[in-house]
Amino acid sequence: MKTGSAGTAREYAALDDAQLAACVRNGEREAFRQITQRCNQRLFRVVRGVIRDEAEAEDVVQEAYLHAYQKIGSFRGEASLATWLTRIALNEAYGRLRQRHETLNIDDMEPVAEMDNVVAFPGAHEDPLRMAENAQLRRWLEGAIDALPEGFRLVYLLRDVEGCSVAETATTLELREETVKTRLHRARKQLRSALEDKVTAARGGVFEFMGARCARVTEAVMARIAVLP
């Protein structure tokens, strides 16, 4: 693809998924910058949820973007660009784990308890991420999320951290919607148990990937795209 000059960053920011993908297909590489800026946070969080290593997660996200750029013609808009890219990133992450000879089976988990026994987090929307007021609590929460079974961890990150709908989460992870609901309830219950003595009224997020880190990945991806034929 060639570098295009048909739009500015401001113009690209106003485009929807289909329009951005069309721009990239037409050789406007700067449109892909906008895609990375929209999706960096989600892709990093989900890949980090699989890899559990921040530096390697960044590398996996970059590789996923390169694959996506090269196969942008296969994007049909049946799901959002973020969902499409997340599937690519997950495949890349699992491939990386296979290279490490690690065994993954997200369905090999203990049976899920009845949802009537789930204890809600204190605060609005049962979401502890809204309640993290300092770096120490974020570290506790990140550790508790890392300790979740992978299937629960990915559902929790997409639903409660990224705010994806049940339908989008199910599409991304190739699960039934009822399975998404069940795993989310169980994830919340396990986090409630792990954090019940530590959660206090606070605000914040986990696995943040904004600012300089987001810009670094975007610039690295754009530099690698620039040398593609």
Side-chain angles (χ1 to χ4, degrees), residues 120-147:
F121 282 103
H125 308 301
E126 303 180 2
D127 185 0
L129 298 179
R130 301 290 182 187
M131 305 168 67
E133 72 178 348
N134 55 52
Q136 179 62 57
L137 184 52
R138 284 198 299 274
R139 287 193 291 271
W140 287 333
L141 183 53
E142 289 176 352
I145 293 171
D146 271 345

Side-chain angles (χ1 to χ4, degrees), residues 72-87:
I72 193 69
S74 67
F75 176 71
R76 297 287 181 261
E78 296 169 355
S80 69
L81 263 175
T83 297
W84 183 74
L85 284 164
T86 302
R87 289 299 315 161

Side-chain angles (χ1 to χ4, degrees), residues 78-99:
E78 296 169 355
S80 69
L81 263 175
T83 297
W84 183 74
L85 284 164
T86 302
R87 289 299 315 161
I88 293 172
L90 280 171
N91 287 337
E92 185 70 27
Y94 289 133
R96 187 67 61 93
L97 288 183
R98 284 193 293 272
Q99 291 174 7

